[in-house]
Amino acid sequence: MLKENTQLLQETILKAKEGSQTAFNLLLDTFWNDVYNFQLKRTNNDYEAEDITIRSFSKAFDKIASYDPKYTFKTWLITISKNIHIDLIRKRNASIASYTTSDTTDAVYRIADDTPTPEDRLITKQNLAQLLRHIKKLKPHYQEVINLRYFQELSYKEIAEVLEEPMNNVKVKLLRAKKLLAEIIQNAE
């Protein structure tokens, strides 16, 4: 619905530019499959496509202020994703092992949204044994981020340090993990 309603999409983007976590979540939910499927076709690798998609949304959310509404939002996201993939290929070809960003700022660490989402509420309703069975159905990197956040109760910053990833990547990965876990729980009911 968000994709078809241009005015609603622009309002959501404006809210995201103002720092609304709910708007970010809505954009992620709406465009995740577009970016992921684009990368899956390019990489033919589920894990790599997912990783690039996470990085793409992380970078898009970090640079949302630079989005120009005369271009479609989906095209802007796909372009970011394509550039990240090209950079990864170049770095691989140059024998650089991993991609990290160094432009972490204090502003990133100040962003906190501890308001429980519908996914959070659904997850907390589950009993522990059943919840653990559902978590085991997630991919290992999603299991790890759920474990660090909810069982070890680490902050986003601490998770970023443990995983040696930028904090925005951690936020997007955790958001995606919660959404997938909520879907697993709903399908099991």
Side-chain angles (χ1 to χ4, degrees):
M1 183 174 133
L2 186 64
K3 286 184 198 178
E4 292 84 37
N5 188 333
T6 310
Q7 184 178 348
L8 182 60
L9 176 61
Q10 291 306 320
E11 289 170 10
T12 304
I13 292 167
L14 185 60
K15 288 178 185 172
K17 285 183 175 184
E18 293 168 356
S20 166
Q21 189 65 41
T22 305
F24 285 136
N25 293 356
L26 186 56
L27 292 170
L28 178 78
D29 290 346
T30 303
F31 293 100
W32 175 271
N33 287 339
D34 294 321
V35 177
Y36 174 76
N37 289 331
F38 173 78
Q39 281 304 327
L40 192 58
K41 287 177 187 169
R42 288 175 67 97
T43 64
N44 290 319
N45 179 312
D46 184 48
Y47 179 80
E48 193 171 359
E50 209 161 39
D51 182 54
I52 293 170
T53 303
I54 288 168
R55 291 174 191 224
S56 300
F57 277 96
S58 173
K59 187 166 189 171
F61 293 163
D62 196 34
K63 305 288 185 190
I64 191 98
S66 69
Y67 169 69
D68 185 348
K70 71 180 176 187
Y71 302 104
T72 64
F73 191 72
K74 177 180 166 184
T75 303
W76 184 69
L77 285 171
I78 296 287
T79 303
I80 290 171
S81 179
K82 185 171 84 173
N83 289 338
I84 287 173
H85 184 233
I86 290 168
D87 286 347
L88 287 172
I89 291 171
R90 284 184 187 145
K91 287 180 181 182
R92 235 182 255 140
N93 290 343
S95 299
I96 295 176
S98 67
Y99 171 79
T100 58
T101 63
S102 58
D103 53 303
T104 13
T105 63
D106 288 3
V108 173
Y109 294 114
R110 281 184 262 138
I111 298 172
D113 183 18
D114 294 330
T115 309
T117 63
E119 290 90 359
D120 288 328
R121 288 190 287 278
L122 186 62
I123 290 167
T124 54
K125 278 204 257 180
Q126 301 297 305
N127 72 45
L128 186 58
Q130 189 176 16
L131 182 60
L132 290 173
R133 281 194 299 276
H134 292 318
I135 291 171
K136 290 283 186 208
K137 295 176 186 173
L138 293 171
K139 293 181 181 178
H141 60 282
Y142 289 141
Q143 289 179 29
E144 182 179 28
V145 77
I146 290 278
N147 175 40
L148 292 171
R149 180 68 173 161
Y150 294 103
F151 294 99
Q152 295 184 30
E153 298 181 347
L154 298 182
S155 68
Y156 289 124
K157 182 179 179 182
E158 292 167 329
I159 295 170
E161 290 168 0
V162 168
L163 298 179
E164 297 178 354
E165 290 187 26
M167 190 161 31
N168 276 347
N169 285 17
V170 168
K171 288 180 180 181
V172 172
K173 196 178 284 187
L174 186 60
L175 189 66
R176 184 71 181 150
K178 289 190 307 187
K179 183 170 177 51
L180 292 171
L181 184 56
E183 288 173 10
I184 290 169
I185 292 168
Q186 284 176 329
N187 290 337
E189 290 180 348

PDB file of all heavy atoms in Angstrom, residues 161-179:
ATOM      1  N   GLU A 161      29.856  -3.686  18.945  1.00  0.00           N
ATOM      2  CA  GLU A 161      31.243  -4.005  19.302  1.00  0.00           C
ATOM      3  C   GLU A 161      31.490  -5.508  19.260  1.00  0.00           C
ATOM      4  O   GLU A 161      32.513  -5.955  18.746  1.00  0.00           O
ATOM      5  CB  GLU A 161      31.562  -3.444  20.689  1.00  0.00           C
ATOM      6  CG  GLU A 161      31.649  -1.935  20.710  1.00  0.00           C
ATOM      7  CD  GLU A 161      31.681  -1.334  22.110  1.00  0.00           C
ATOM      8  OE1 GLU A 161      31.636  -2.083  23.107  1.00  0.00           O
ATOM      9  OE2 GLU A 161      31.722  -0.088  22.196  1.00  0.00           O
ATOM     10  N   VAL A 162      30.553  -6.301  19.789  1.00  0.00           N
ATOM     11  CA  VAL A 162      30.706  -7.762  19.793  1.00  0.00           C
ATOM     12  C   VAL A 162      30.759  -8.297  18.366  1.00  0.00           C
ATOM     13  O   VAL A 162      31.599  -9.133  18.031  1.00  0.00           O
ATOM     14  CB  VAL A 162      29.547  -8.444  20.577  1.00  0.00           C
ATOM     15  CG1 VAL A 162      29.532  -9.939  20.354  1.00  0.00           C
ATOM     16  CG2 VAL A 162      29.656  -8.136  22.064  1.00  0.00           C
ATOM     17  N   LEU A 163      29.852  -7.812  17.518  1.00  0.00           N
ATOM     18  CA  LEU A 163      29.771  -8.307  16.142  1.00  0.00           C
ATOM     19  C   LEU A 163      30.774  -7.628  15.208  1.00  0.00           C
ATOM     20  O   LEU A 163      30.933  -8.048  14.062  1.00  0.00           O
ATOM     21  CB  LEU A 163      28.358  -8.106  15.594  1.00  0.00           C
ATOM     22  CG  LEU A 163      27.238  -8.852  16.308  1.00  0.00           C
ATOM     23  CD1 LEU A 163      25.896  -8.534  15.658  1.00  0.00           C
ATOM     24  CD2 LEU A 163      27.488 -10.356  16.301  1.00  0.00           C
ATOM     25  N   GLU A 164      31.414  -6.575  15.709  1.00  0.00           N
ATOM     26  CA  GLU A 164      32.353  -5.782  14.906  1.00  0.00           C
ATOM     27  C   GLU A 164      31.682  -5.290  13.630  1.00  0.00           C
ATOM     28  O   GLU A 164      32.188  -5.436  12.525  1.00  0.00           O
ATOM     29  CB  GLU A 164      33.622  -6.582  14.601  1.00  0.00           C
ATOM     30  CG  GLU A 164      34.403  -6.950  15.836  1.00  0.00           C
ATOM     31  CD  GLU A 164      35.645  -7.774  15.558  1.00  0.00           C
ATOM     32  OE1 GLU A 164      35.859  -8.173  14.388  1.00  0.00           O
ATOM     33  OE2 GLU A 164      36.401  -8.020  16.508  1.00  0.00           O
ATOM     34  N   GLU A 165      30.485  -4.719  13.813  1.00  0.00           N
ATOM     35  CA  GLU A 165      29.703  -4.167  12.709  1.00  0.00           C
ATOM     36  C   GLU A 165      29.243  -2.772  13.092  1.00  0.00           C
ATOM     37  O   GLU A 165      29.110  -2.463  14.270  1.00  0.00           O
ATOM     38  CB  GLU A 165      28.455  -5.021  12.443  1.00  0.00           C
ATOM     39  CG  GLU A 165      28.727  -6.366  11.848  1.00  0.00           C
ATOM     40  CD  GLU A 165      27.445  -7.092  11.450  1.00  0.00           C
ATOM     41  OE1 GLU A 165      26.425  -6.416  11.179  1.00  0.00           O
ATOM     42  OE2 GLU A 165      27.473  -8.316  11.409  1.00  0.00           O
ATOM     43  N   PRO A 166      28.957  -1.934  12.100  1.00  0.00           N
ATOM     44  CA  PRO A 166      28.408  -0.614  12.404  1.00  0.00           C
ATOM     45  C   PRO A 166      27.054  -0.746  13.108  1.00  0.00           C
ATOM     46  O   PRO A 166      26.313  -1.703  12.869  1.00  0.00           O
ATOM     47  CB  PRO A 166      28.231   0.033  11.021  1.00  0.00           C
ATOM     48  CG  PRO A 166      29.130  -0.733  10.115  1.00  0.00           C
ATOM     49  CD  PRO A 166      29.212  -2.115  10.672  1.00  0.00           C
ATOM     50  N   MET A 167      26.762   0.201  13.979  1.00  0.00           N
ATOM     51  CA  MET A 167      25.542   0.118  14.776  1.00  0.00           C
ATOM     52  C   MET A 167      24.280   0.128  13.908  1.00  0.00           C
ATOM     53  O   MET A 167      23.319  -0.560  14.222  1.00  0.00           O
ATOM     54  CB  MET A 167      25.465   1.234  15.807  1.00  0.00           C
ATOM     55  CG  MET A 167      24.329   0.967  16.768  1.00  0.00           C
ATOM     56  SD  MET A 167      24.316   1.813  18.338  1.00  0.00           S
ATOM     57  CE  MET A 167      25.078   3.324  18.045  1.00  0.00           C
ATOM     58  N   ASN A 168      24.268   0.870  12.822  1.00  0.00           N
ATOM     59  CA  ASN A 168      23.096   0.865  11.953  1.00  0.00           C
ATOM     60  C   ASN A 168      22.842  -0.526  11.374  1.00  0.00           C
ATOM     61  O   ASN A 168      21.703  -0.943  11.227  1.00  0.00           O
ATOM     62  CB  ASN A 168      23.223   1.892  10.826  1.00  0.00           C
ATOM     63  CG  ASN A 168      22.796   3.271  11.268  1.00  0.00           C
ATOM     64  OD1 ASN A 168      22.193   3.443  12.322  1.00  0.00           O
ATOM     65  ND2 ASN A 168      23.112   4.272  10.468  1.00  0.00           N
ATOM     66  N   ASN A 169      23.906  -1.267  11.040  1.00  0.00           N
ATOM     67  CA  ASN A 169      23.740  -2.646  10.561  1.00  0.00           C
ATOM     68  C   ASN A 169      23.077  -3.491  11.641  1.00  0.00           C
ATOM     69  O   ASN A 169      22.199  -4.302  11.350  1.00  0.00           O
ATOM     70  CB  ASN A 169      25.088  -3.274  10.208  1.00  0.00           C
ATOM     71  CG  ASN A 169      25.668  -2.768   8.912  1.00  0.00           C
ATOM     72  OD1 ASN A 169      25.263  -1.732   8.397  1.00  0.00           O
ATOM     73  ND2 ASN A 169      26.630  -3.486   8.390  1.00  0.00           N
ATOM     74  N   VAL A 170      23.508  -3.312  12.881  1.00  0.00           N
ATOM     75  CA  VAL A 170      22.952  -4.067  14.005  1.00  0.00           C
ATOM     76  C   VAL A 170      21.461  -3.760  14.139  1.00  0.00           C
ATOM     77  O   VAL A 170      20.642  -4.661  14.312  1.00  0.00           O
ATOM     78  CB  VAL A 170      23.701  -3.749  15.318  1.00  0.00           C
ATOM     79  CG1 VAL A 170      22.967  -4.300  16.528  1.00  0.00           C
ATOM     80  CG2 VAL A 170      25.123  -4.291  15.260  1.00  0.00           C
ATOM     81  N   LYS A 171      21.108  -2.489  14.051  1.00  0.00           N
ATOM     82  CA  LYS A 171      19.697  -2.096  14.188  1.00  0.00           C
ATOM     83  C   LYS A 171      18.843  -2.720  13.097  1.00  0.00           C
ATOM     84  O   LYS A 171      17.763  -3.249  13.364  1.00  0.00           O
ATOM     85  CB  LYS A 171      19.562  -0.571  14.154  1.00  0.00           C
ATOM     86  CG  LYS A 171      20.076   0.097  15.401  1.00  0.00           C
ATOM     87  CD  LYS A 171      19.915   1.594  15.286  1.00  0.00           C
ATOM     88  CE  LYS A 171      20.418   2.286  16.526  1.00  0.00           C
ATOM     89  NZ  LYS A 171      20.256   3.732  16.450  1.00  0.00           N
ATOM     90  N   VAL A 172      19.317  -2.668  11.859  1.00  0.00           N
ATOM     91  CA  VAL A 172      18.554  -3.238  10.747  1.00  0.00           C
ATOM     92  C   VAL A 172      18.461  -4.756  10.893  1.00  0.00           C
ATOM     93  O   VAL A 172      17.397  -5.350  10.712  1.00  0.00           O
ATOM     94  CB  VAL A 172      19.184  -2.845   9.380  1.00  0.00           C
ATOM     95  CG1 VAL A 172      18.516  -3.587   8.243  1.00  0.00           C
ATOM     96  CG2 VAL A 172      19.084  -1.348   9.160  1.00  0.00           C
ATOM     97  N   LYS A 173      19.573  -5.387  11.273  1.00  0.00           N
ATOM     98  CA  LYS A 173      19.579  -6.843  11.443  1.00  0.00           C
ATOM     99  C   LYS A 173      18.621  -7.263  12.555  1.00  0.00           C
ATOM    100  O   LYS A 173      17.872  -8.232  12.415  1.00  0.00           O
ATOM    101  CB  LYS A 173      21.011  -7.316  11.758  1.00  0.00           C
ATOM    102  CG  LYS A 173      21.215  -8.804  11.583  1.00  0.00           C
ATOM    103  CD  LYS A 173      22.646  -9.217  11.862  1.00  0.00           C
ATOM    104  CE  LYS A 173      23.557  -8.842  10.738  1.00  0.00           C
ATOM    105  NZ  LYS A 173      24.916  -9.380  10.906  1.00  0.00           N
ATOM    106  N   LEU A 174      18.624  -6.523  13.656  1.00  0.00           N
ATOM    107  CA  LEU A 174      17.732  -6.844  14.769  1.00  0.00           C
ATOM    108  C   LEU A 174      16.273  -6.620  14.370  1.00  0.00           C
ATOM    109  O   LEU A 174      15.405  -7.434  14.688  1.00  0.00           O
ATOM    110  CB  LEU A 174      18.087  -6.003  16.002  1.00  0.00           C
ATOM    111  CG  LEU A 174      17.329  -6.337  17.268  1.00  0.00           C
ATOM    112  CD1 LEU A 174      17.569  -7.786  17.691  1.00  0.00           C
ATOM    113  CD2 LEU A 174      17.741  -5.413  18.395  1.00  0.00           C
ATOM    114  N   LEU A 175      16.012  -5.545  13.671  1.00  0.00           N
ATOM    115  CA  LEU A 175      14.658  -5.265  13.195  1.00  0.00           C
ATOM    116  C   LEU A 175      14.165  -6.397  12.293  1.00  0.00           C
ATOM    117  O   LEU A 175      13.051  -6.894  12.447  1.00  0.00           O
ATOM    118  CB  LEU A 175      14.661  -3.938  12.438  1.00  0.00           C
ATOM    119  CG  LEU A 175      13.328  -3.353  12.034  1.00  0.00           C
ATOM    120  CD1 LEU A 175      12.529  -2.949  13.266  1.00  0.00           C
ATOM    121  CD2 LEU A 175      13.560  -2.130  11.150  1.00  0.00           C
ATOM    122  N   ARG A 176      15.016  -6.833  11.389  1.00  0.00           N
ATOM    123  CA  ARG A 176      14.660  -7.922  10.468  1.00  0.00           C
ATOM    124  C   ARG A 176      14.470  -9.225  11.243  1.00  0.00           C
ATOM    125  O   ARG A 176      13.525  -9.984  10.992  1.00  0.00           O
ATOM    126  CB  ARG A 176      15.750  -8.070   9.402  1.00  0.00           C
ATOM    127  CG  ARG A 176      15.433  -9.090   8.355  1.00  0.00           C
ATOM    128  CD  ARG A 176      14.317  -8.634   7.435  1.00  0.00           C
ATOM    129  NE  ARG A 176      14.063  -9.669   6.467  1.00  0.00           N
ATOM    130  CZ  ARG A 176      12.896  -9.904   5.917  1.00  0.00           C
ATOM    131  NH1 ARG A 176      11.863  -9.149   6.206  1.00  0.00           N
ATOM    132  NH2 ARG A 176      12.742 -10.865   5.050  1.00  0.00           N
ATOM    133  N   ALA A 177      15.349  -9.505  12.202  1.00  0.00           N
ATOM    134  CA  ALA A 177      15.250 -10.733  13.004  1.00  0.00           C
ATOM    135  C   ALA A 177      13.934 -10.764  13.780  1.00  0.00           C
ATOM    136  O   ALA A 177      13.258 -11.800  13.841  1.00  0.00           O
ATOM    137  CB  ALA A 177      16.440 -10.838  13.963  1.00  0.00           C
ATOM    138  N   LYS A 178      13.554  -9.631  14.371  1.00  0.00           N
ATOM    139  CA  LYS A 178      12.301  -9.569  15.131  1.00  0.00           C
ATOM    140  C   LYS A 178      11.108  -9.800  14.212  1.00  0.00           C
ATOM    141  O   LYS A 178      10.166 -10.508  14.570  1.00  0.00           O
ATOM    142  CB  LYS A 178      12.160  -8.218  15.846  1.00  0.00           C
ATOM    143  CG  LYS A 178      13.114  -8.051  17.004  1.00  0.00           C
ATOM    144  CD  LYS A 178      12.807  -6.841  17.842  1.00  0.00           C
ATOM    145  CE  LYS A 178      12.691  -5.558  17.089  1.00  0.00           C
ATOM    146  NZ  LYS A 178      12.545  -4.374  17.948  1.00  0.00           N
ATOM    147  N   LYS A 179      11.148  -9.222  13.038  1.00  0.00           N
ATOM    148  CA  LYS A 179      10.039  -9.393  12.088  1.00  0.00           C
ATOM    149  C   LYS A 179       9.918 -10.862  11.671  1.00  0.00           C
ATOM    150  O   LYS A 179       8.819 -11.425  11.653  1.00  0.00           O
ATOM    151  CB  LYS A 179      10.243  -8.496  10.873  1.00  0.00           C
ATOM    152  CG  LYS A 179       9.107  -8.569   9.884  1.00  0.00           C
ATOM    153  CD  LYS A 179       9.230  -7.495   8.836  1.00  0.00           C
ATOM    154  CE  LYS A 179       8.162  -7.554   7.783  1.00  0.00           C
ATOM    155  NZ  LYS A 179       6.820  -7.612   8.271  1.00  0.00           N
TER     156      LYS A 179
END
